Structures are given as structure tokens and as C-alpha cells.
Amino acid sequence: MLLSLPALHLQTSEHHPLFQLPHRRLGPWCSPTGSPAPLSCETGCGEGSWILVCRLLVPTQVSLLSMEEDIDTRKINNSFLRDHSYATEADIISTVEFNHTGELLATGDKGGRVVIFQREQESKNQVHRRGEYNVYSTFQSHEPEFDYLKSLEIEEKINKIRWLPQQNAAYFLLSTNDKTVKLWKVSERDKRPEGYNLKDEEGRLRDPATITTLRVPVLRPMDLMVEATPRRVFANAHTYHINSISVNSDYETYMSADDLRINLWNFEITNQSFNIVDIKPANMEELTEVITAAEFHPHHCNTFVYSSSKGTIRLCDMRASALCDRHTKFFEEPEDPSNRSFFSEIISSISDVKFSHSGRYIMTRDYLTVKVWDLNMENRPIETYQVHDYLRSKLCSLYENDCIFDKFECVWNGSDSVIMTGSYNNFFRMFDRNTKRDVTLEASRENSKPRAILKPRKVCVGGKRRKDEISVDSLDFSKKILHTAWHPSENIIAVAATNNLYIFQDKVN
């Protein structure tokens, strides 16, 4: 009888992933190959080897001009960054992504805004400023919408941002909310044409009868403007909430994944997509799992992987069949019956999946662990890292306050030798795969002086607590690091904490 009580509670819980499909999103990205020196225990996960470069704020208010205004009047105002002691729900950062060179860093927030930061160029007088990032551009990517057919409000929150490789002077990125993916072009302009024949100097149309001479327009220098313009809008293809987008290595296609389906898009075609995975059962009462994340292989355009709420990973090959409902490889770790509990199904749900830059390994993040899988071994992971195993005894309270449903992301460094992921109390963890050492660091506003060295943090579980330790009962679960990013070729990391973006770099840089 005691065993049946949790099961009954699970069936009536609105927080379980399988019961939040139409309402709540269940919450992977391609990164270029980098070849920095592997991190050693002295330069990677050593004692206090990371320093704070800068702390950036997501804007609390951005005055953006309408996209319908004349292109000459569009100018980005970067004066909005102020140190606010509070943050609204719309200011919370929901995704972080470096571009392929690492010179730009994009963040998306729950207010539908995208803020792009540009790396400071190195100068002889200020060499130490090389790792700093300043505001480059900001624009409103998505607006709140309402689906009248389903009586469903569509949030403006940016779920994912993915950069495309730079082909010319402009930058391109994909951003998505729950339903719509947009392709944005970000470009610079420092010249404007003057001397129109049909317009006067103030831009008003001239009377054709007064035009007696022909003037050749000339380009005049002007203040630098950064313009963000939407080039493509990919909509009306997802019934459920989009949780992942991934750019293919052919750079002609990308995929978008929701809870039950994965669609393949061509960048030039916006009115149709090709469904490559569909796990929706004929009877929704038979639904047992949902898709939580998906990503393309970094080198093979025919291969992709997706994870599920059951803790499984499926590798699919689009050469085998048009509809990839039948996987090529199936990765699953057998569960230890002795560790089975009421929360086992929830904490085993995979929140993020990432291919290594080499394409040989897959990294997955569930609630308590990060696992590394070899593509040639499906029965168990080759590496398992405990992120915050001290929370295992607090799963009941974490279930009550909804924290157990938090979706943490994970990232590789450029050489695939170090793994980073987030935790609570604004802690984030690094695991060195070579030395098997790990470190816990904190992104704190109290220790946000530029060039400050991060001190490793330790969590005490019961017993006597040392001076430099923090008790597990003192952890602040409202402060959480869900989104992180690693520079593709250098030891520079970006960590999102509420509306603050912290950028750290290795001390030896």
C-alpha cells in the first residue's frame, strides 16, 4: 500500500513531464572544431585558475525602433546597461551562444530580446582588456502571440540561439521561441548615400518639374550603425513547444525539435519542412516519453541524435529512411534496481545532449549527472560525473518547489577535454576528463570585481562545516546556472545567472 501512494501522486501531478505537453515546455547546439591546448589541472580545473573578465547586464528596458521605419533612422542605443538591483521575469537570460569565431556572444531572454556582445580588440596599452565583451547590437526577436484556434498564449521567450558560419561581412543567427524560428542578419553600416535626385536633403520628395539637373549620389561617412533585419521566418510547423534547433554541417539545412516531432528545414524554404521524426502515438494515453533535445553531428550531415524524458538517446541516419522513427543506435544505461525511487523517472530525464567537437562522443545532462557516451558503445556511458549528488537526499523538497524539473545545459571546451555544467546557488561545475579532477566555482555579484580570481567552493553534507564550505541546507535554489557557453578555441566561458552574464577566462590567458 505504501508503494502505491507515490504512483498515485505521480499520476495526478501537473509537474510531471508527460502531463505538461500542451502547456509547459520540456526543456544543443553545433559548435565549430577548435584546437586549443588541452586544459591541465593547473590551467583548467586547478585551484582558483579562472578570473572574472566582466559582468554584463541584460537590459531591463530597450527602446527599439520599429522595423518598418526608414532604414536610415535605425540606430542602436547602447546606453541601457545600468546596474539594477532587481530583474523582471522578462530580463532572465534563457540562452547563451558564442559564434563560430568566439568574437561575438549572443544572449536571448524571456522578453524575446537578443543582445549581442562583441569582444574587445587587443591594444598595446590595454592588453588585459582582450577578453572583455561590450554590447554590439540588441533587437526584439519575438513578440508574444496568441493562438486563437487552440486558445493558447505563445510566449516571446527565446529558447535557443544558433549562429551560422560567417560567409561575408554580415552575421547570421537563428533564434526560436516555442513555435517560430527566425533567421536574422546582423550587419554594419558606416556610410550613407547623399545627393538624391528625387528627394531633397531632408528626405522629402521633390517636384519633378523643378528637377533640371542630374546628380550622382555619393557615399558619406557616418557613425557606425549595427542593423538586425529578419531574413526568414519559419512558422506553423510545430504543434508542441520547440526545445532545440541545430544547424547541419552542410549549412543548407537545420532541424527544429519539439516534444514529439523533429522537422528538417532548408534555409531558402520557409513555407514547408520535412518531418524526420514523429513519436506521437495514435492514442495520446499511450504516450510514455517525449523528445527533450536534438542535435546534428558536427561533421556528418546525415547523422543526428535526440534524447528523451526516459533517459535514452537515439542516433539516427537519414540515409537509412526518410522517416527516422527507427533509430540506428540506442544508448541507455540499465537502472540499478536498488536505487529505484519515486523520483527515478524524473531525474533520469535528459535535459541536454551535445556532440563532441570531434564527433566521437555524446554528452548528456540529467538532473544529477553528466554522462559521456562513446558512439561505438551503446550499453553504458564511458564516463559519469556527479554534478550535485548531495541533493539526492533533498529530492522531495526539490519536487515540491518545482526545482526538480529544471533543465540544465552542458558544454564541451574546444578540445573536448573539459566539461562544464551548472548547478544551484549560482555554482557551476567543471570536470577535467584527462586528470579526472573537478572544481566548483561561483558566479556571484559579491565577487564581481574585474580580474578577480575565482575561489573553488565546496558543499558540506552534515557533520562539521569548515570555514570555506557552505552547508547543503544553505543553498539558494532560486539562484541557478542553467545556461553556459564555452569559447570555441580559447579558455573563455560565459555563464548566465538570472539577468547577469558573467564572462570568465583562464588565468594564463
PDB file of all heavy atoms in Angstrom, residues 265-284:
ATOM      1  N   TRP A 265      14.487  21.609 -42.097  1.00  0.00           N
ATOM      2  CA  TRP A 265      14.200  22.795 -42.881  1.00  0.00           C
ATOM      3  C   TRP A 265      15.347  23.084 -43.840  1.00  0.00           C
ATOM      4  O   TRP A 265      16.504  22.793 -43.544  1.00  0.00           O
ATOM      5  CB  TRP A 265      14.042  24.027 -41.984  1.00  0.00           C
ATOM      6  CG  TRP A 265      12.929  23.983 -40.992  1.00  0.00           C
ATOM      7  CD1 TRP A 265      12.960  23.401 -39.750  1.00  0.00           C
ATOM      8  CD2 TRP A 265      11.630  24.570 -41.126  1.00  0.00           C
ATOM      9  NE1 TRP A 265      11.763  23.589 -39.110  1.00  0.00           N
ATOM     10  CE2 TRP A 265      10.925  24.291 -39.927  1.00  0.00           C
ATOM     11  CE3 TRP A 265      10.999  25.291 -42.130  1.00  0.00           C
ATOM     12  CZ2 TRP A 265       9.631  24.731 -39.712  1.00  0.00           C
ATOM     13  CZ3 TRP A 265       9.701  25.719 -41.929  1.00  0.00           C
ATOM     14  CH2 TRP A 265       9.026  25.451 -40.732  1.00  0.00           C
ATOM     15  N   ASN A 266      15.012  23.692 -44.966  1.00  0.00           N
ATOM     16  CA  ASN A 266      16.000  24.304 -45.844  1.00  0.00           C
ATOM     17  C   ASN A 266      15.973  25.800 -45.592  1.00  0.00           C
ATOM     18  O   ASN A 266      14.902  26.398 -45.457  1.00  0.00           O
ATOM     19  CB  ASN A 266      15.687  23.999 -47.316  1.00  0.00           C
ATOM     20  CG  ASN A 266      16.778  24.460 -48.259  1.00  0.00           C
ATOM     21  OD1 ASN A 266      17.041  25.650 -48.414  1.00  0.00           O
ATOM     22  ND2 ASN A 266      17.424  23.513 -48.916  1.00  0.00           N
ATOM     23  N   PHE A 267      17.149  26.426 -45.535  1.00  0.00           N
ATOM     24  CA  PHE A 267      17.208  27.846 -45.209  1.00  0.00           C
ATOM     25  C   PHE A 267      16.492  28.714 -46.241  1.00  0.00           C
ATOM     26  O   PHE A 267      16.072  29.829 -45.931  1.00  0.00           O
ATOM     27  CB  PHE A 267      18.667  28.301 -45.095  1.00  0.00           C
ATOM     28  CG  PHE A 267      19.309  27.940 -43.784  1.00  0.00           C
ATOM     29  CD1 PHE A 267      20.295  26.981 -43.719  1.00  0.00           C
ATOM     30  CD2 PHE A 267      18.914  28.563 -42.614  1.00  0.00           C
ATOM     31  CE1 PHE A 267      20.893  26.649 -42.516  1.00  0.00           C
ATOM     32  CE2 PHE A 267      19.492  28.238 -41.395  1.00  0.00           C
ATOM     33  CZ  PHE A 267      20.484  27.279 -41.347  1.00  0.00           C
ATOM     34  N   GLU A 268      16.343  28.221 -47.454  1.00  0.00           N
ATOM     35  CA  GLU A 268      15.717  29.024 -48.501  1.00  0.00           C
ATOM     36  C   GLU A 268      14.217  28.792 -48.614  1.00  0.00           C
ATOM     37  O   GLU A 268      13.546  29.466 -49.389  1.00  0.00           O
ATOM     38  CB  GLU A 268      16.385  28.716 -49.848  1.00  0.00           C
ATOM     39  CG  GLU A 268      17.883  28.979 -49.892  1.00  0.00           C
ATOM     40  CD  GLU A 268      18.209  30.442 -49.634  1.00  0.00           C
ATOM     41  OE1 GLU A 268      17.414  31.306 -50.049  1.00  0.00           O
ATOM     42  OE2 GLU A 268      19.251  30.710 -49.011  1.00  0.00           O
ATOM     43  N   ILE A 269      13.680  27.830 -47.881  1.00  0.00           N
ATOM     44  CA  ILE A 269      12.262  27.477 -47.991  1.00  0.00           C
ATOM     45  C   ILE A 269      11.607  27.672 -46.633  1.00  0.00           C
ATOM     46  O   ILE A 269      11.960  26.999 -45.662  1.00  0.00           O
ATOM     47  CB  ILE A 269      12.072  26.028 -48.473  1.00  0.00           C
ATOM     48  CG1 ILE A 269      12.775  25.822 -49.815  1.00  0.00           C
ATOM     49  CG2 ILE A 269      10.589  25.684 -48.587  1.00  0.00           C
ATOM     50  CD1 ILE A 269      12.780  24.388 -50.285  1.00  0.00           C
ATOM     51  N   THR A 270      10.664  28.583 -46.548  1.00  0.00           N
ATOM     52  CA  THR A 270      10.025  28.887 -45.268  1.00  0.00           C
ATOM     53  C   THR A 270       8.621  28.319 -45.127  1.00  0.00           C
ATOM     54  O   THR A 270       8.112  28.236 -44.015  1.00  0.00           O
ATOM     55  CB  THR A 270       9.944  30.409 -45.074  1.00  0.00           C
ATOM     56  OG1 THR A 270       9.143  30.979 -46.123  1.00  0.00           O
ATOM     57  CG2 THR A 270      11.333  31.042 -45.097  1.00  0.00           C
ATOM     58  N   ASN A 271       8.001  27.936 -46.236  1.00  0.00           N
ATOM     59  CA  ASN A 271       6.598  27.526 -46.166  1.00  0.00           C
ATOM     60  C   ASN A 271       6.403  26.025 -46.014  1.00  0.00           C
ATOM     61  O   ASN A 271       5.275  25.550 -45.962  1.00  0.00           O
ATOM     62  CB  ASN A 271       5.835  28.011 -47.410  1.00  0.00           C
ATOM     63  CG  ASN A 271       6.434  27.468 -48.695  1.00  0.00           C
ATOM     64  OD1 ASN A 271       7.476  26.804 -48.677  1.00  0.00           O
ATOM     65  ND2 ASN A 271       5.777  27.752 -49.806  1.00  0.00           N
ATOM     66  N   GLN A 272       7.481  25.268 -45.952  1.00  0.00           N
ATOM     67  CA  GLN A 272       7.332  23.836 -45.729  1.00  0.00           C
ATOM     68  C   GLN A 272       8.598  23.260 -45.114  1.00  0.00           C
ATOM     69  O   GLN A 272       9.700  23.775 -45.311  1.00  0.00           O
ATOM     70  CB  GLN A 272       7.006  23.108 -47.031  1.00  0.00           C
ATOM     71  CG  GLN A 272       8.089  23.182 -48.091  1.00  0.00           C
ATOM     72  CD  GLN A 272       7.722  22.427 -49.352  1.00  0.00           C
ATOM     73  OE1 GLN A 272       6.674  21.809 -49.433  1.00  0.00           O
ATOM     74  NE2 GLN A 272       8.588  22.472 -50.351  1.00  0.00           N
ATOM     75  N   SER A 273       8.421  22.200 -44.344  1.00  0.00           N
ATOM     76  CA  SER A 273       9.532  21.473 -43.742  1.00  0.00           C
ATOM     77  C   SER A 273       9.261  19.987 -43.892  1.00  0.00           C
ATOM     78  O   SER A 273       8.148  19.562 -44.212  1.00  0.00           O
ATOM     79  CB  SER A 273       9.685  21.831 -42.261  1.00  0.00           C
ATOM     80  OG  SER A 273       8.519  21.470 -41.537  1.00  0.00           O
ATOM     81  N   PHE A 274      10.294  19.194 -43.660  1.00  0.00           N
ATOM     82  CA  PHE A 274      10.168  17.747 -43.811  1.00  0.00           C
ATOM     83  C   PHE A 274      10.255  17.108 -42.429  1.00  0.00           C
ATOM     84  O   PHE A 274      11.219  17.332 -41.691  1.00  0.00           O
ATOM     85  CB  PHE A 274      11.277  17.200 -44.710  1.00  0.00           C
ATOM     86  CG  PHE A 274      11.083  15.758 -45.090  1.00  0.00           C
ATOM     87  CD1 PHE A 274      10.237  15.409 -46.127  1.00  0.00           C
ATOM     88  CD2 PHE A 274      11.742  14.754 -44.402  1.00  0.00           C
ATOM     89  CE1 PHE A 274      10.048  14.082 -46.470  1.00  0.00           C
ATOM     90  CE2 PHE A 274      11.564  13.429 -44.737  1.00  0.00           C
ATOM     91  CZ  PHE A 274      10.712  13.091 -45.782  1.00  0.00           C
ATOM     92  N   ASN A 275       9.231  16.329 -42.080  1.00  0.00           N
ATOM     93  CA  ASN A 275       9.207  15.669 -40.775  1.00  0.00           C
ATOM     94  C   ASN A 275      10.094  14.429 -40.806  1.00  0.00           C
ATOM     95  O   ASN A 275       9.877  13.516 -41.597  1.00  0.00           O
ATOM     96  CB  ASN A 275       7.764  15.283 -40.414  1.00  0.00           C
ATOM     97  CG  ASN A 275       7.681  14.605 -39.064  1.00  0.00           C
ATOM     98  OD1 ASN A 275       7.191  13.498 -38.955  1.00  0.00           O
ATOM     99  ND2 ASN A 275       8.165  15.256 -38.026  1.00  0.00           N
ATOM    100  N   ILE A 276      11.139  14.410 -39.942  1.00  0.00           N
ATOM    101  CA  ILE A 276      12.075  13.278 -39.952  1.00  0.00           C
ATOM    102  C   ILE A 276      11.916  12.380 -38.732  1.00  0.00           C
ATOM    103  O   ILE A 276      12.377  11.236 -38.748  1.00  0.00           O
ATOM    104  CB  ILE A 276      13.533  13.761 -40.051  1.00  0.00           C
ATOM    105  CG1 ILE A 276      13.860  14.792 -38.977  1.00  0.00           C
ATOM    106  CG2 ILE A 276      13.800  14.345 -41.431  1.00  0.00           C
ATOM    107  CD1 ILE A 276      15.301  15.262 -38.991  1.00  0.00           C
ATOM    108  N   VAL A 277      11.268  12.859 -37.672  1.00  0.00           N
ATOM    109  CA  VAL A 277      10.978  12.023 -36.504  1.00  0.00           C
ATOM    110  C   VAL A 277       9.593  12.373 -35.999  1.00  0.00           C
ATOM    111  O   VAL A 277       9.259  13.554 -35.859  1.00  0.00           O
ATOM    112  CB  VAL A 277      12.014  12.220 -35.375  1.00  0.00           C
ATOM    113  CG1 VAL A 277      11.579  11.478 -34.115  1.00  0.00           C
ATOM    114  CG2 VAL A 277      13.388  11.744 -35.800  1.00  0.00           C
ATOM    115  N   ASP A 278       8.786  11.343 -35.736  1.00  0.00           N
ATOM    116  CA  ASP A 278       7.445  11.536 -35.185  1.00  0.00           C
ATOM    117  C   ASP A 278       7.169  10.400 -34.206  1.00  0.00           C
ATOM    118  O   ASP A 278       6.977   9.259 -34.620  1.00  0.00           O
ATOM    119  CB  ASP A 278       6.398  11.558 -36.296  1.00  0.00           C
ATOM    120  CG  ASP A 278       5.014  11.950 -35.787  1.00  0.00           C
ATOM    121  OD1 ASP A 278       4.827  11.994 -34.566  1.00  0.00           O
ATOM    122  OD2 ASP A 278       4.129  12.214 -36.629  1.00  0.00           O
ATOM    123  N   ILE A 279       7.177  10.703 -32.923  1.00  0.00           N
ATOM    124  CA  ILE A 279       6.943   9.664 -31.915  1.00  0.00           C
ATOM    125  C   ILE A 279       5.549   9.788 -31.295  1.00  0.00           C
ATOM    126  O   ILE A 279       5.264   9.131 -30.290  1.00  0.00           O
ATOM    127  CB  ILE A 279       8.008   9.720 -30.810  1.00  0.00           C
ATOM    128  CG1 ILE A 279       7.900  11.020 -30.016  1.00  0.00           C
ATOM    129  CG2 ILE A 279       9.409   9.559 -31.380  1.00  0.00           C
ATOM    130  CD1 ILE A 279       8.765  11.035 -28.756  1.00  0.00           C
ATOM    131  N   LYS A 280       4.692  10.609 -31.905  1.00  0.00           N
ATOM    132  CA  LYS A 280       3.341  10.762 -31.356  1.00  0.00           C
ATOM    133  C   LYS A 280       2.549   9.481 -31.580  1.00  0.00           C
ATOM    134  O   LYS A 280       2.382   9.035 -32.713  1.00  0.00           O
ATOM    135  CB  LYS A 280       2.632  11.932 -32.021  1.00  0.00           C
ATOM    136  CG  LYS A 280       1.227  12.177 -31.465  1.00  0.00           C
ATOM    137  CD  LYS A 280       0.553  13.360 -32.143  1.00  0.00           C
ATOM    138  CE  LYS A 280      -0.842  13.574 -31.580  1.00  0.00           C
ATOM    139  NZ  LYS A 280      -1.528  14.703 -32.237  1.00  0.00           N
ATOM    140  N   PRO A 281       2.024   8.863 -30.514  1.00  0.00           N
ATOM    141  CA  PRO A 281       1.218   7.643 -30.684  1.00  0.00           C
ATOM    142  C   PRO A 281      -0.175   7.968 -31.197  1.00  0.00           C
ATOM    143  O   PRO A 281      -0.639   9.116 -31.105  1.00  0.00           O
ATOM    144  CB  PRO A 281       1.175   7.067 -29.269  1.00  0.00           C
ATOM    145  CG  PRO A 281       1.304   8.269 -28.375  1.00  0.00           C
ATOM    146  CD  PRO A 281       2.187   9.241 -29.105  1.00  0.00           C
ATOM    147  N   ALA A 282      -0.835   6.961 -31.762  1.00  0.00           N
ATOM    148  CA  ALA A 282      -2.199   7.161 -32.250  1.00  0.00           C
ATOM    149  C   ALA A 282      -3.127   7.549 -31.111  1.00  0.00           C
ATOM    150  O   ALA A 282      -4.047   8.362 -31.277  1.00  0.00           O
ATOM    151  CB  ALA A 282      -2.689   5.897 -32.948  1.00  0.00           C
ATOM    152  N   ASN A 283      -2.886   6.973 -29.946  1.00  0.00           N
ATOM    153  CA  ASN A 283      -3.664   7.302 -28.751  1.00  0.00           C
ATOM    154  C   ASN A 283      -2.731   7.995 -27.761  1.00  0.00           C
ATOM    155  O   ASN A 283      -1.760   7.403 -27.293  1.00  0.00           O
ATOM    156  CB  ASN A 283      -4.252   6.029 -28.134  1.00  0.00           C
ATOM    157  CG  ASN A 283      -5.141   6.327 -26.933  1.00  0.00           C
ATOM    158  OD1 ASN A 283      -5.333   7.490 -26.550  1.00  0.00           O
ATOM    159  ND2 ASN A 283      -5.680   5.278 -26.334  1.00  0.00           N
ATOM    160  N   MET A 284      -3.001   9.257 -27.447  1.00  0.00           N
ATOM    161  CA  MET A 284      -2.120  10.016 -26.575  1.00  0.00           C
ATOM    162  C   MET A 284      -2.036   9.434 -25.171  1.00  0.00           C
ATOM    163  O   MET A 284      -1.090   9.713 -24.424  1.00  0.00           O
ATOM    164  CB  MET A 284      -2.566  11.478 -26.503  1.00  0.00           C
ATOM    165  CG  MET A 284      -2.238  12.286 -27.746  1.00  0.00           C
ATOM    166  SD  MET A 284      -0.464  12.508 -27.982  1.00  0.00           S
ATOM    167  CE  MET A 284      -0.112  13.761 -26.752  1.00  0.00           C
TER     168      MET A 284
END
